[in-house]
């Protein structure tokens, strides 16, 4: 598997910080309290952590994509 790519949609973020609790090295909050990426390509070793963070987001503003841009489950 090639390295996953993470995309966030901060305009829809509620600032719950669920992603930060799961993967603080990948996600952060900007000055407005919305999600931003620290690392858009966190590597396959952290894939489970990133997917857990995506699944924890109450508004589904995090996407984890494969090398073709398809969503990873």
């Amino acid at each position: 598997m090639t390295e996953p790519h993470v995309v966030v949609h901060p305009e829809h973020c509620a600032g719950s910080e669920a992603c930060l609790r799961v993967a603080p090295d990948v996600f952060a909050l900007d000055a407005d309290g919305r999600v931003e990426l620290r690392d858009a390509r966190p590597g396959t070793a952290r894939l489970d952590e990133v997917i857990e963070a995506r699944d924890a987001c109450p508004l589904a503003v995090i996407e984890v994509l494969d090398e073709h841009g398809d969503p990873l489950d």
Side-chain angles (χ1 to χ4, degrees):
M1 167 185 262
T2 61
E3 190 173 342
H5 179 76
V6 181
V7 176
V8 296
H9 301 280
E11 67 276 12
H12 301 295
C13 179
S16 74
E17 299 185 20
C19 57
L20 292 177
R21 287 190 290 277
V22 176
D25 293 336
V26 178
F27 303 100
L29 294 184
D30 66 14
D32 294 324
R34 295 175 185 225
V35 67
E36 65 181 9
L37 288 171
R38 290 179 187 241
D39 187 356
R41 295 197 179 273
T44 56
R46 295 162 84 194
L47 180 59
D48 289 341
E49 176 186 9
V50 171
I51 288 176
E52 182 180 347
R54 176 202 64 195
D55 293 347
C57 179
L59 296 178
V61 304
I62 301 168
E63 294 182 83
V64 184
L65 310 173
D66 68 13
E67 67 273 14
H68 305 291
D70 296 322
L72 291 173
D73 292 326

